[in-house]
Every structure is written in C-alpha cells, then in structure tokens.
Amino acid sequence: MAALIAENFRFLSLFFKSKDVMIFNGLVALGTVGSEELFSVVAFNCPCSPARNYIYGLAAIGVPALALFLIGVIWNNHTWNLVAECHKRGTKNFSAAATFLLFGSIMGRASVAPITWSVISLLRGEAYICALSEFVKPSSLDKFPAEYGADVLAKVPCRDVPANLTKFRDEVTRRLRYESQLFGWLLIGIVAVLIFLTKCLKHCCSPLSYRQEAYWAQYRSNEDKLFRRTAEVHSRILAAKNVKQFFGFVALDKEEKELVQEFPVEGVQPSPQWNAITGVYIYRENKGFPLYSRLHKWAKGVEGNGPTPEGHELLFLAS
C-alpha cells in the first residue's frame, strides 16, 4: 500500500503549481485512499447474485468517483469565479482557447480524487471481480462441469460455491484480479502521459518566463492570504461598530480593542468594486506591464477584461 500511495502522489503532483496546492491535493489523494479502504472494509458487500453483481460492482467504483468529482468542482474557486463572470459580464471576452483552458483547469483539479478512487478500486480488484464474475465463460475454464452456469460463477466473490468448484473459483478470481489491476496500471500510465503532455503544452504556450511564473504564483498566494486576513479584520471592526451603535456599547476583548483603535473603518466597499475584483482572470498586460489579478487591475485603474492594448490576448489562467 505504501508503494501504491507513493505512485499516486508521483503522478498527481504534476497537477500542482505551488507548494500549498501540492500539499492540499496530496491530502485529497491520501484522504481518498483512506476512504476507499474504509469503504471496502465496512460498506462493500457483493450481492453475489446474477444481474445484480454487475450493477453493484460498477456503482461501487463509479458513484463515489462521480461524487468526489462533483465535490472537487464545487471546491474549486475557478468554478464560482466562472459563475460570477457569466452572471456579471458574460463570456464574450474569452476566446475558445481561454474557455478550454478554464474548463481544463477545473476538470483537471476536480479529477484528482475520482482518479485516485478508481485506481485504488481497480488495483484492489474486489469491485471488478464482483461485477464481472458472472460473465466469465464456463467454456474458458478447463474441465468446468457443464451443469453449472452463470448463477454459480456470480457467487465466486462470496466464495459460496460447491466444494468441487474451489479450484475454478480461485482461477476466476485470479483472472479477474489480473484484468482489474492491469486496467488500474494502464489508467495510471494514461493519466501520467496526459498530465505530462498538458504541462509541456502549458509551458510552451505560456507568455511568462519560469521566474515570472513563479513570482506570479507567489503574488497570488500572498494577495489571497492578505485579502482574507484583511477582510476578516475589516468585517470584525465593521460589525463591532454596528453592534455598538445598536446597543450603545460592544464587548470586545483586548485584541479586538486594539484592532478597532489601530484600523479605523469608515464604511463598506460599494458593489461595483466587489464586482470588479470578482470573476475569472486571464493574464493580461497593460502597455507591457503585467497585471497579476483582478485586484491588481482595479488598483491600476485598468478597465475591462478584453484584449490588451497591443491587440493580442495573453492566455494564461490564474490557478
């Protein structure tokens, strides 16, 4: 299992651009491995019944993967930035390449957990054996008794077969586990190649040098941390002022009193300012100078999200 987890981290880490994202996605993959193990021990029980095995086995692999994928889409900030962008400004400012890049980023990040789940399920083999045991052709088994058919083979995952079929049960299990693990390793290889090609294409098409891209990643991380920290303090001070106006006083601890005294808050930002810094951001330049975020654009007084003044669009999505 340790080698398996290491292999998952090896190819999943290609998705990640910054250390923080790397740690987060690594925890997602590790949590998925643990969840799959728990599911297999506690919840997975093959019905060992013809026509039910197939549905149950595929559901055990596909339904959790789908749920994890949807959760990944929901947790991705790009999803809600895209919703805000479509709601406020539409997608008229995005080219086909930019739209493809955006959806590719959302789908790629959301696929980390479901791919991990599918790989672990296939390498374990229980769900695959459950789903396909009844479809093994008796004629492919040497000297298999003619009086037995799919109804007996469907019971192979539960080891509930007549004593004279024990060796056939072991052969069917071994054959299906081999197929399942083969598909699991092929899935790892295909995903690794696709990620490698995507990363190569991304860096080849990037308008930024390696060092500027690293700086941009640091800027986005710092901007997000400072924005969240400042917004938390701003909202606390504003809430304290409003509570004091209602009650005539406000119960603040020592730290909160220092914050209120140090940072005077006069009011709230108007909605147009919030709209200006919210939404999808594609890397732009203004007269040769980089604009690293919507907040950066707003601070520089640059309007719109259309093509640059030089007449070309630099397509590089903020992660």
Side-chain angles (χ1 to χ4, degrees):
M1 182 56 66
L4 179 60
I5 295 175
E7 186 68 21
N8 276 281
F9 277 111
R10 179 180 171 187
F11 77 87
L12 290 176
S13 64
L14 294 173
F15 271 113
F16 317 137
K17 184 181 293 184
S18 68
K19 292 182 180 179
D20 291 340
V21 176
M22 211 170 171
I23 293 173
F24 174 78
N25 285 274
L27 291 175
V28 169
L30 185 60
T32 305
V33 172
S35 300
E36 205 282 336
E37 288 291 325
L38 181 63
F39 174 81
S40 297
V41 173
V42 178
F44 185 82
N45 289 291
C46 185
C48 294
S49 174
R52 295 181 180 178
N53 285 14
Y54 184 70
I55 297 175
Y56 184 82
L58 293 184
I61 298 175
V63 173
L66 176 62
L68 291 170
F69 177 78
L70 294 177
I71 292 173
V73 172
I74 292 172
W75 278 358
N76 195 319
N77 290 334
H78 285 331
T79 302
W80 307 114
N81 283 334
L82 178 61
V83 172
E85 187 75 21
C86 294
H87 177 67
K88 298 296 182 182
R89 288 175 285 270
T91 58
K92 60 183 179 180
N93 293 324
F94 293 144
S95 66
T99 304
F100 175 79
L101 187 64
L102 174 62
F103 279 100
S105 175
I106 295 175
M107 297 299 105
R109 292 291 174 83
S111 298
V112 173
I115 288 176
T116 303
W117 179 278
S118 300
V119 167
I120 300 300
S121 297
L122 290 172
L123 292 180
R124 286 181 59 88
E126 280 87 351
Y128 188 90
I129 294 172
C130 177
L132 297 181
S133 62
E134 65 181 286
F135 296 103
V136 175
K137 294 182 179 180
S139 59
S140 66
L141 301 172
D142 186 33
K143 298 181 180 180
F144 188 82
E147 63 270 19
Y148 297 111
D151 54 336
V152 174
L153 291 174
K155 298 179 180 180
V156 165
C158 299
R159 299 180 177 273
D160 186 18
V161 296
N164 62 326
L165 298 181
T166 301
K167 67 174 183 178
F168 299 106
R169 180 198 67 197
D170 295 339
E171 182 179 349
V172 170
T173 300
R174 183 170 58 253
R175 181 187 301 181
L176 293 178
R177 179 168 283 112
Y178 153 75
E179 293 178 0
S180 180
Q181 292 183 348
L182 177 62
F183 289 139
W185 291 119
L186 287 176
L187 179 59
I188 290 176
I190 292 171
V191 171
V193 171
L194 289 177
I195 294 174
F196 173 75
L197 294 177
T198 302
K199 294 290 286 186
C200 291
L201 180 63
K202 170 179 164 292
H203 284 288
C204 289
C205 298
S206 171
L208 305 181
S209 66
Y210 173 78
R211 290 188 180 277
Q212 188 178 8
E213 183 181 337
Y215 176 86
W216 187 26
Q218 292 175 344
Y219 172 85
R220 292 196 311 271
S221 177
N222 289 326
E223 181 188 83
D224 183 67
K225 290 177 182 177
L226 291 172
F227 188 91
R228 291 176 181 273
R229 192 185 308 163
T230 304
E232 196 277 332
V233 173
H234 186 282
S235 61
R236 186 185 303 184
I237 295 173
L238 181 63
K241 292 181 61 176
N242 293 336
V243 171
K244 182 177 181 180
Q245 185 174 354
F246 183 83
F247 286 107
F249 73 96
V250 58
L252 300 175
D253 58 27
K254 183 178 179 181
E255 179 184 355
E256 291 170 334
K257 289 180 181 179
E258 293 175 352
L259 288 176
V260 171
Q261 294 175 356
E262 184 177 357
F263 303 111
V265 172
E266 301 299 333
V268 297
Q269 285 66 32
S271 293
Q273 290 187 9
W274 286 104
N275 293 336
I277 67 170
T278 302
V280 177
Y281 182 70
I282 303 295
Y283 177 83
R284 309 285 178 178
E285 290 184 359
N286 182 39
K287 298 179 181 179
F289 290 93
L291 299 172
Y292 291 123
S293 68
R294 282 196 169 275
L295 181 60
H296 191 184
K297 285 181 59 180
W298 174 85
K300 291 295 183 180
V302 179
E303 299 293 335
N305 195 35
T308 62
E310 292 81 0
H312 62 276
E313 188 181 53
L314 298 178
L315 300 177
F316 203 54
L317 185 67
S319 299

